[in-house]
Amino acid sequence: MDTKRCTNCHKLLRAETEVCSRCGYTFAEKKQITPVRTMVKGSIPPASLHRAGHYSGLHPEDQPYQSTVIAVQRPPANTTHLRGSLPKDPVEKRLSAVDSVSAVDTVLETDRHKEVTLVTPVDLPPPRPRIAPTPNPNTPLPPSEYLLPPRRMRRGRFVPTVLTISCLLLLVASSLLAFIYLNRKPLATTQVLSAIPSQLRVNDPFILSGKGFGVDDLISFTYDDNHQLLDGSGKLLQAHADDIGAFSIQITVPGTWIVGQHEIFATDIGKEQIVSVRTIITVDQPLPGPPRLLLGASSLDFGANVPGSVVKKSIPLTNEGGQQVSWQASSDQPWLTLSPIHGVFNGSSFAQVAVNSGSLPPQSYIGHITFTQSGSTIALKLAVTMSVKQAPPASMTIAPVALTYSGITTQNPTSQVVTLQNTNDQPLDWSSAVSTGDGSNWLSISPASDHLAAHSSETITVDVQTLQLAIGSYQGTINFKGGTNPAVTVALSVAAPGYLVTSPPALSFTSIGQNPAAQTITLQNSGGWALDWSATTATADKGNWLYLSPSSGHLEAGQSGNVAVTINVSGLKPQSYQGTLTFTYDGGLTKLVPIALTVSVPPTAAISLSPGTMNFSTLAGTNPGPQTFTIVNTGNATLNWMIAEDQNGATFAPLSATSGSLAPTKSIVITVSPTIGQSGAGVLATNITVFDRDTGSKVLAQKIVVTITITDQPMISLSMSTMSFSHDSTITESSQLLVITNTGSQTLNWVAQPSASWLSADVTSGTLAPGASATVDVHCNSSTLATGSFPATFVVSDSDSGTTVASQTVAVNLTVS
């Protein structure tokens, strides 16, 4: 049976086969080609009939020995003179190992003076019987006629040794070429560096990702004028490219960056060349006002997906206000996840939305992710839609596809699990690979590979180590191989441990016969992680007089709370006492607050009045306005007070209250509202006495002297106190009305007196009964005045001699332009 081998994968095939059943290589139709100074490639001869399964050339019976020694033939310039003569000695050229690698095909190299043919041992065709041509006296002899008879080679171990060495050299050279080709660095124009988000504020995190870099190369980062980017521990920030030349690392905008654009450079010092790629981010100015969370979109559509696929998209988050936004989110569907599920940022951030079709039946799905902002009752909803199309079920599904961890530098977070399920009828073997954005080994899974029987599931444990990490945010990925090759995104936030601060650091109480007022201690968590605290009390005298409420609680990072400290002095003797409050948190850390208490002799009340006198003045028939005084208990015992008035004062000087109780240092305001009734002109007087009504009290009483002066006379009241006139060359006269009212209790005889000649009134005097009014037209004439400003007064007074009625004045101003 005639056979042949595929030139691509070397599979043994029938001679008439047109397409290789292994690799799909198509055999071209053979054509007769006459080689004339061109590149000639020897074809692979058919396998030996009696050695099926072996390549020709591997057995002596398949192909005679072929040497790597070839002759270089130099024909003379004029062959007509060399006919019948012998040529010169041939020049031999031995192929080196490099020549063997580069001469994979048959090469025919010629010029005017030489013709060289290089043939590799594996490509040499079987020898053909040589037929002597019929000599033609007019035709030049072929070059082969000039060759000397071939030398005889000694047979023995030399031939197989040379063949073995040649094959080994060929294999080594081919492997080196393949390694260089597979690991070569991409051209500089293929590197891509991007920052998401690219517009943010100081202290905001962003993802810096790149692709097209060298495989497993170490990437370093600088910004602006070759300043180095540092991680949370102050070390040089670096990342490792993965097996496809990509990396992703989370960076926080340093607090020292100014507002404006900044260049970030990723430098790859690779095996072949140094590549530096840049991207630009913009640092925005903080906005005024309270923080306000805003989503970059209200809906996301993931389109149609086959069962078992995981699709991820990013949703931008922005702060439309000032300060920091603290947010959290939750999903209402098991196939819909968000990473991370909470965060804090100033201007911009992002979250990754993932949908996992898993083994869902083909149909349309809709889910919602609800975002809430701390301190706000407004919820933002993101609608997410996808559809699962009809397709063979995935052989392996995974859930969840996103994990979020929060840890501290002193304690690793709790492990989480991922469930793998084989939905196929056949068993499968799966494996995994873990990668982190910063290249450190903080992410691990157990087991990392296993065997899944048909229609079975397995739970793997995912752990993160935060003890050696700096404070900040980290990103990682778990890539699974097997089935649909899904991936799990891991987000890690590392914060400082909780730290409890008490304020004030100590308390002091004083008791004078009764329990002192309660005092407050403020507890604040100044660390970066939540803490649970509990408190106990202790006294040096073993007494039960110190109390605390509440005695335990929980504080988030940066949160504060208050506890009340109370003292019970019942049964305590007058002396000094010492106590201690012990706050325990974070697995054994403590904070001590010392308490000092001083108990004094039994208390007594004391009365203090302010002011000591009260004077009222009014017109006959008119009640004066009310006035107040304050009673203060300046003692250290409760005051049960009472008020008494003498000289019938209760009838014309009534009080808002006449008795009550006051604790130490407390006070009360008493209002006196005189009612003079039909009293004529004169003075009404009374004494207000405040005393302790308790039987046998030794508290000294205190008095306030009250006088009410009543006058019987008229009183002038004007409707305005100022007038303004504005004249020019056209308007030289104008007037305004003034109302004069007698608000007193006697008849008013009034007179009006202007202070300038250009100011006058239509009525300059009159008489007004109590409560009556008169209207006066105040006239202004500027016809004789130059331009400028002219002030004057209009005075209304009582015309009666010896009167005590106060005059009233109107300030007048005239402007002439």
Side-chain angles (χ1 to χ4, degrees):
M1 177 181 65
D2 294 335
T3 61
K4 64 180 179 181
R5 292 192 180 273
C6 176
T7 59
N8 186 38
C9 67
H10 303 295
K11 178 179 176 61
L12 184 63
L13 304 168
R14 294 178 178 271
E16 64 272 13
T17 302
E18 297 180 356
V19 178
C20 179
S21 60
R22 173 184 293 173
C23 65
Y25 175 81
T26 303
F27 295 93
E29 182 180 356
K30 296 183 180 180
K31 297 182 179 180
Q32 186 66 28
I33 301 176
T34 303
V36 179
R37 298 179 182 270
T38 59
M39 183 176 291
V40 180
K41 181 176 181 179
S43 61
I44 298 177
S48 172
L49 295 179
H50 62 285
R51 293 289 185 180
H54 296 281
Y55 293 98
S56 61
L58 298 181
H59 299 279
E61 61 270 30
D62 288 327
Q63 180 172 310
Y65 163 73
Q66 298 172 3
S67 174
T68 57
V69 179
I70 62 175
V72 177
Q73 306 167 23
R74 301 181 183 274
N78 189 355
T79 58
T80 57
H81 302 285
L82 301 177
R83 184 182 303 164
S85 63
L86 295 175
K88 296 181 180 180
D89 293 339
V91 180
E92 295 184 352
K93 179 180 180 181
R94 186 176 302 274
L95 293 176
S96 65
V98 177
D99 296 330
S100 300
V101 174
S102 61
V104 178
D105 297 331
T106 303
V107 178
L108 180 64
E109 180 183 357
T110 63
D111 57 21
R112 288 189 313 164
H113 306 290
K114 63 181 179 180
E115 180 175 344
V116 180
T117 303
L118 304 180
V119 182
T120 59
V122 295
D123 290 330
L124 288 176
R128 299 178 181 177
R130 185 167 183 175
I131 303 174
T134 305
N136 187 348
N138 298 324
T139 303
L141 294 175
S144 60
E145 295 297 330
Y146 298 101
L147 294 177
L148 293 175
R151 301 176 182 175
R152 291 185 175 271
M153 303 292 294
R154 291 188 302 170
R155 297 185 178 271
R157 292 187 177 182
F158 179 75
V159 173
T161 301
V162 171
L163 287 176
T164 302
I165 294 175
S166 300
C167 292
L168 289 175
L169 291 176
L170 179 62
L171 290 175
V172 171
S174 302
S175 300
L176 289 174
L177 288 175
F179 177 79
I180 294 173
Y181 175 78
L182 293 176
N183 291 273
R184 64 182 180 181
K185 185 179 298 296
L187 296 177
T189 57
T190 62
Q191 282 80 27
V192 177
L193 185 66
S194 61
I196 301 176
S198 60
Q199 189 165 351
L200 58 173
R201 301 177 195 170
V202 168
N203 296 324
D204 277 347
F206 65 94
I207 292 293
L208 187 66
S209 57
K211 60 182 180 179
F213 290 80
V215 175
D216 296 328
D217 280 358
L218 184 63
I219 314 298
S220 60
F221 305 95
T222 57
Y223 69 94
D224 294 345
D225 297 330
N226 202 28
H227 298 297
Q228 292 182 340
L229 277 172
L230 306 178
D231 60 16
S233 60
K235 298 180 181 179
L236 181 63
L237 183 66
Q238 293 180 328
H240 281 274
D242 57 18
D243 55 359
I244 60 172
F247 69 87
S248 178
I249 189 169
Q250 183 161 316
I251 303 175
T252 300
V253 177
T256 56
W257 284 17
I258 62 174
V259 174
Q261 288 189 341
H262 295 268
E263 294 180 319
I264 298 180
F265 298 87
T267 303
D268 178 4
I269 304 178
K271 307 174 185 66
E272 299 177 359
Q273 57 183 336
I274 298 178
V275 176
S276 183
V277 187
R278 74 162 189 164
T279 187
I280 295 178
I281 68 169
T282 302
V283 177
D284 290 337
Q285 180 75 33
L287 298 178
R292 186 166 71 92
L293 178 65
L294 184 66
L295 302 183
S298 59
S299 62
L300 287 178
D301 184 13
F302 284 82
N305 304 311
V306 297
S309 60
V310 176
V311 184
K312 300 178 181 180
K313 290 184 179 182
S314 294
I315 176 74
L317 309 176
T318 56
N319 178 12
E320 290 298 306
Q323 306 173 21
Q324 276 191 335
V325 167
S326 177
W327 64 272
Q328 49 276 337
S330 60
S331 170
D332 60 0
Q333 296 296 330
W335 51 266
L336 176 61
T337 57
L338 185 77
S339 178
I341 58 176
H342 59 81
V344 177
F345 66 92
N346 291 285
S348 301
S349 187
F350 63 93
Q352 191 175 66
V353 181
V355 294
N356 184 5
S357 58
S359 56
L360 297 175
Q363 65 181 49
S364 297
Y365 294 87
I366 183 170
H368 300 86
I369 297 177
T370 303
F371 292 82
T372 56
Q373 177 183 335
S374 298
S376 175
T377 58
I378 300 176
L380 303 177
K381 282 196 174 183
L382 175 68
V384 179
T385 56
M386 78 162 182
S387 61
V388 179
K389 58 186 179 181
Q390 188 70 41
S395 58
M396 184 174 70
T397 60
I398 185 170
V401 294
L403 298 176
T404 300
Y405 291 85
S406 297
I408 56 178
T409 55
T410 58
Q411 183 179 356
N412 294 325
T414 306
S415 302
Q416 299 187 40
V417 297
V418 173
T419 301
L420 306 180
Q421 184 176 7
N422 182 6
T423 60
N424 207 335
D425 294 331
Q426 300 295 327
L428 61 83
D429 293 317
W430 64 269
S431 61
S432 63
V434 172
S435 63
T436 58
D438 62 338
S440 58
N441 298 325
W442 54 264
L443 177 61
S444 62
I445 66 171
S446 178
S449 62
D450 208 344
H451 177 81
L452 266 180
H455 299 288
S456 65
S457 61
E458 180 179 6
T459 300
I460 64 173
T461 303
V462 182
D463 291 295
V464 296
Q465 304 291 325
T466 60
L467 299 182
Q468 303 300 324
L469 293 181
I471 297 173
S473 298
Y474 298 84
Q475 300 288 330
T477 304
I478 305 174
N479 295 299
F480 291 91
K481 294 183 179 180
T484 53
N485 300 328
V488 173
T489 302
V490 180
L492 170 62
S493 175
V494 180
Y499 183 75
L500 188 65
V501 176
T502 59
S503 179
L507 291 179
S508 178
F509 293 85
T510 300
S511 172
I512 307 176
Q514 61 183 3
N515 294 332
Q519 296 188 40
T520 300
I521 294 179
T522 300
L523 305 179
Q524 182 177 10
N525 180 7
S526 62
W529 189 257
L531 61 85
D532 294 314
W533 63 268
S534 61
T536 57
T537 62
T539 58
D541 63 331
K542 307 301 181 182
N544 190 22
W545 51 265
L546 180 59
Y547 299 91
L548 182 71
S549 178
S551 60
S552 63
H554 176 84
L555 291 176
E556 295 291 336
Q559 187 181 9
S560 60
N562 295 329
V563 295
V565 181
T566 57
I567 302 296
N568 184 3
V569 298
S570 300
L572 296 181
K573 297 178 180 181
Q575 65 181 42
S576 296
Y577 296 86
Q578 302 295 325
T580 304
L581 298 178
T582 303
F583 296 90
T584 305
Y585 68 99
D586 201 14
L589 298 179
T590 59
K591 206 75 171 179
L592 301 180
V593 178
I595 306 296
L597 170 63
T598 302
V599 179
S600 301
V601 294
T604 57
I607 300 173
S608 175
L609 301 180
S610 178
T613 61
M614 301 182 72
N615 295 311
F616 296 87
S617 179
T618 184
L619 296 174
T622 304
N623 294 327
Q627 294 184 30
T628 62
F629 68 93
T630 303
I631 304 173
V632 182
N633 179 8
T634 57
N636 53 15
T638 300
L639 171 65
N640 297 315
W641 57 271
M642 183 174 284
I643 297 179
E645 294 185 74
D646 57 3
Q647 300 179 7
N648 202 27
T651 60
F652 60 83
L655 306 175
S656 60
T658 58
S659 63
S661 295
L662 282 177
T665 71
K666 299 299 180 180
S667 62
I668 187 173
V669 176
I670 305 298
T671 302
V672 181
S673 302
T675 56
I676 62 174
Q678 301 299 322
S679 300
V683 177
L684 300 177
T686 185
N687 291 323
I688 297 177
T689 303
V690 182
F691 59 93
D692 186 358
R693 69 174 184 265
D694 291 338
T695 303
S697 174
K698 297 180 180 180
V699 177
L700 296 177
Q702 301 293 328
K703 291 184 179 182
I704 295 178
V705 178
V706 179
T707 59
I708 304 174
T709 302
I710 304 174
T711 58
D712 189 11
Q713 65 179 25
M715 184 174 290
I716 302 172
S717 176
L718 303 181
S719 60
M720 62 182 67
S721 60
T722 60
M723 285 187 180
S724 297
F725 296 90
S726 180
H727 291 177
D728 54 21
S729 59
T730 302
I731 300 175
T732 59
E733 294 187 14
S734 62
S735 61
Q736 295 186 32
L737 297 179
L738 177 66
V739 179
I740 304 173
T741 303
N742 178 11
T743 57
S745 58
Q746 294 294 327
T747 300
L748 171 65
N749 296 312
W750 63 272
V751 61
Q753 296 177 340
S755 64
S757 60
W758 48 266
L759 186 64
S760 61
D762 60 343
V763 179
T764 58
S765 62
T767 300
L768 290 175
S773 299
T775 302
V776 177
D777 190 0
V778 180
H779 185 74
C780 181
N781 187 346
S782 63
S783 59
T784 61
L785 300 177
T787 59
S789 179
F790 302 91
T793 59
F794 190 83
V795 181
V796 179
S797 59
D798 189 354
S799 61
D800 295 336
S801 59
T803 182
T804 59
V805 178
S807 300
Q808 300 295 321
T809 301
V810 178
V812 181
N813 184 66
L814 169 63
T815 302
V816 180
S817 58

